[in-house]
Amino acid sequence: MSDTMAAAGRETPLGYFKRTWRQNIIYIGFVLVFLFFALTLHDKGFLEPNNILNIARQTAMIAVMAVAMTLVLSSGEIDLSVGAVAGLASVTTAMAIAWGGLLAGIAAGIMTGVTVGLVNGLLSTRLMIPTFLTTLAMMGIAKGTAMWISGTAAIPVLDRTYPAIFGGGNIGPIPTLLLWMLAVGIVGHVVLRRTKFGRQVLAVGGNVVAARYSGINTGRIKLWVIVISAVTASLAGMLYAGRLQTGRFQLGEGDELSVIAAVVLGGTSLFGGKGTVVGSIIGALMIGVINNGLILMGLEYSQQLIARGGIIILAVALSQAGTRPA
């Protein structure tokens, strides 16, 4: 033991970097990507405060959903319905505000997530349908429901207080969307790293059989993470509605891919047992920086897709190497 401690004490900064660089690749990558765009686009306003805040606003909903997706992937499951649930929640929230006011809208948005999460979770834990299939089906159900109840029309948010709280306002120079992202991130980090529930999530994702024999109710843990994911997706939909002051079934469309990419990019294993909320948020911000930088560079949309995909594949390959179970 003393020899090990002595060796650690003699370790050089370069040696420490060589030993830990892979697990910190998302932070290294974020800094490098940010510096690249800052240097190449300094004359196009990339570092302007308004542009930086716009990146935060555009990324906030992805980051919020990524926090819950970290729990889902860490438990060995997946949720493909988050984007569609966000769109549905934006519609139910806007419609409920028109019917019963601010509190009714907030309650409707939250209950949308609770309902979807319970359906997804019970189908997966009671009927043993894989979450990939359950949430894939729910993606279509949620989107179809949003289209049906809204008549495919945008539903305006008719309360002035709601946008100020949910995504459309600022506290001083700080957008409320950024505060929501930070608040959800802090709660998610504490839950995953500092609570018994978080330790059980990682145990279930690491080895579900061993977790079951150690006394963990694995079905309950998986039910909870799926419900949390749906409720968080609904919160993202409520933030979309607040920012755009309207509820639309298209809001959140395709976000599930960005959310999963951000989480995996941040270092969470697709195979369960390993997760980091901070990394997931940095992953979401990195995707936001890449999107913003490529637009300012004037690339065509097709070129943006190619460049963004290549950067994400490279970063994910580096961060996930060695995490696949034997």
Side-chain angles (χ1 to χ4, degrees):
M1 177 67 72
S2 60
D3 292 341
T4 303
M5 294 178 63
R10 294 192 302 268
E11 187 175 33
T12 64
L14 180 60
Y16 177 80
F17 176 78
K18 289 180 178 179
R19 182 169 58 85
T20 62
W21 73 270
R22 193 182 298 280
Q23 65 195 57
N24 294 314
I25 188 64
I26 180 58
Y27 309 107
I28 299 170
F30 177 79
V31 171
L32 291 177
V33 168
F34 188 89
L35 288 176
F36 170 77
F37 286 123
L39 293 173
T40 58
L41 299 173
H42 66 278
D43 58 340
K44 295 187 177 180
F46 178 80
L47 291 177
E48 290 292 325
N50 285 339
N51 187 60
I52 300 299
L53 290 177
N54 279 336
I55 293 174
R57 291 188 185 97
Q58 293 162 3
T59 307
M61 279 70 78
I62 299 297
V64 165
M65 288 186 278
V67 170
M69 188 65 76
T70 304
L71 296 176
V72 174
L73 292 183
S74 296
S75 71
E77 303 297 334
I78 196 167
D79 188 349
L80 299 177
S81 65
V82 290
V85 172
L88 175 60
S90 75
V91 171
T92 57
T93 298
M95 294 179 70
I97 288 175
W99 171 76
L102 177 64
L103 294 180
I106 295 173
I110 294 173
M111 287 308 301
T112 298
V114 171
T115 302
V116 171
L118 286 173
V119 172
N120 282 341
L122 291 174
L123 287 174
S124 298
T125 60
R126 297 296 186 267
L127 299 183
M128 307 307 293
I129 302 174
T131 49
F132 178 88
L133 296 177
T134 301
T135 58
L136 182 63
M138 183 56 70
M139 181 197 301
I141 294 171
K143 182 175 180 179
T145 301
M147 295 175 67
W148 176 40
I149 63 177
S150 66
T152 70
I155 310 297
V157 174
L158 301 178
D159 185 280
R160 293 185 177 182
T161 304
Y162 181 87
I165 301 173
F166 289 91
N170 298 281
I171 297 180
I174 304 175
T176 53
L177 278 174
L178 181 58
L179 297 178
W180 275 107
M181 179 176 67
L182 292 174
V184 173
I186 291 171
V187 171
H189 176 75
V190 170
V191 167
L192 186 61
R193 293 298 178 192
R194 305 295 182 186
T195 68
K196 178 181 177 181
F197 175 75
R199 291 190 293 272
Q200 290 179 335
V201 167
L202 294 172
V204 170
N207 190 322
V208 66
V209 175
R212 188 178 298 119
Y213 278 114
S214 68
I216 298 175
N217 188 333
T218 58
R220 180 177 63 84
I221 294 297
K222 292 191 176 189
L223 174 62
W224 269 109
V225 296
I226 294 170
V227 171
I228 290 171
S229 178
V231 172
T232 308
S234 290
L235 173 61
M238 295 165 69
L239 294 174
Y240 270 127
R243 184 187 179 203
L244 301 175
Q245 299 187 32
T246 185
R248 305 176 189 171
F249 74 89
Q250 300 102 322
L251 297 180
E253 191 171 38
D255 278 0
E256 60 279 348
L257 300 180
S258 297
V259 170
I260 293 171
V263 174
V264 177
L265 189 60
T268 296
S269 174
L270 275 170
F271 310 102
K274 177 187 175 185
T276 164
V277 168
V278 176
S280 297
I281 293 177
I282 296 299
L285 289 172
M286 183 172 173
I287 291 175
V289 168
I290 292 171
N291 290 340
N292 182 268
L294 293 177
I295 291 172
L296 290 179
M297 288 179 72
L299 269 65
E300 296 180 2
Y301 182 65
S302 58
Q303 296 171 325
Q304 293 175 32
L305 291 176
I306 295 170
R308 182 167 65 237
I311 294 171
I312 291 174
I313 287 175
L314 176 61
V316 169
L318 290 172
S319 65
Q320 292 290 307
T323 63
R324 186 181 182 93

